[in-house]
Amino acid sequence: MADTTTIQSFFTQAGASQFSRDFLFRVESIRLAGIELLGEGDGVVSPDLVYAKTGELPGRNIEDKVVNYFGQEFHLPGKSTYPGAAGYSIEFYHDENCALRTKFEAASRIVFDNETSLGQYGMPDEGSVINLVQLKKNLRPARKFQLIGASIRDIGPIAYNIADGTGEVVSFPVTFAYHYYRDFAANRDFERYN
């Protein structure tokens, strides 16, 4: 069969399906032990998650399992893995009053408090989630993703440049871990899990 991909077929498909852009993404909500931040749901914008600067949709792999027979390798699908699940990072703008970072600090100390040696460092359950939304150009959801069993790992430093600063807006990363993610088609089954 001859390859029928042409410039015209690309143009037709691109016109019909369009392209996702690097800003059409939202962190909709974060719910962990000790912290709940709500995003842009039901017309309400949280003053916290507006400060989410960068994020990414996670990846998913199916491990390859090899079966050998008479010198021939056969490749079978194995278990699913989630690359980056131990270190999923979101970059946040730092607000002047330090309110957002204070919430992450409190969540971190709920997981483990150095002063008391106590904490909720057990296995995170289905109630600990990070909800992500890929958007269309009209800002309606194209897809929704939910990171299941999320927990806080690292609150990054904030760099200040006192002597030579130019007034740049500062930001900091927060790193989470999660068990796996759910991928929801927009407007289908998502509400069932929230």
Side-chain angles (χ1 to χ4, degrees):
M1 176 182 251
D3 182 14
T4 58
T5 303
T6 64
I7 293 172
Q8 184 59 47
S9 62
F10 170 81
F11 176 70
T12 302
Q13 182 62 32
S17 297
Q18 294 296 314
F19 295 97
S20 184
R21 307 301 176 96
D22 60 0
F23 56 86
L24 293 174
F25 179 79
R26 296 290 182 271
V27 179
E28 188 175 66
S29 63
I30 299 174
R31 190 176 17 195
L32 311 173
I35 185 172
E36 183 165 6
L37 301 173
L38 302 176
E40 300 183 15
D42 300 324
V44 176
V45 178
S46 167
D48 296 319
L49 291 182
V50 165
Y51 282 95
K53 178 181 173 183
T54 64
E56 62 183 28
L57 291 179
R60 185 172 194 266
N61 292 341
I62 302 295
E63 289 184 354
D64 187 54
K65 301 298 178 185
V66 178
V67 174
N68 290 302
Y69 190 77
F70 272 83
Q72 176 69 43
E73 283 189 355
F74 297 91
H75 297 272
L76 290 86
K79 70 177 182 176
S80 63
T81 59
Y82 297 86
Y88 180 80
S89 186
I90 301 172
E91 183 90 10
F92 292 92
Y93 287 116
H94 185 46
D95 65 282
E96 186 177 53
N97 295 322
C98 201
L100 182 57
R101 186 178 173 91
T102 299
K103 290 178 182 182
F104 287 122
E105 289 278 353
S108 176
R109 293 177 195 289
I110 287 171
V111 172
F112 189 83
D113 188 334
N114 304 65
E115 294 182 23
T116 63
S117 297
L118 299 174
Q120 297 179 10
Y121 47 87
M123 183 167 164
D125 62 15
E126 281 193 87
S128 295
V129 296
I130 298 174
N131 291 312
L132 308 171
V133 181
Q134 177 189 346
L135 299 170
K136 300 176 189 176
K137 285 193 285 289
N138 64 5
L139 302 182
R140 307 268 308 151
R143 290 302 278 269
K144 294 186 177 191
F145 299 82
Q146 189 173 62
L147 309 184
I148 306 297
S151 56
I152 195 164
R153 287 294 182 273
D154 180 63
I155 303 164
I158 300 172
Y160 287 97
N161 192 356
I162 299 163
D164 298 321
T166 62
E168 285 295 321
V169 174
V170 294
S171 61
F172 63 98
V174 179
T175 304
F176 306 90
Y178 64 93
H179 305 313
Y180 64 97
Y181 71 84
R182 289 187 180 117
D183 176 3
F184 301 94
N187 301 322
R188 189 196 66 161
D189 293 335
F190 187 72
E191 285 70 27
R192 173 168 64 138
Y193 292 104
N194 273 320

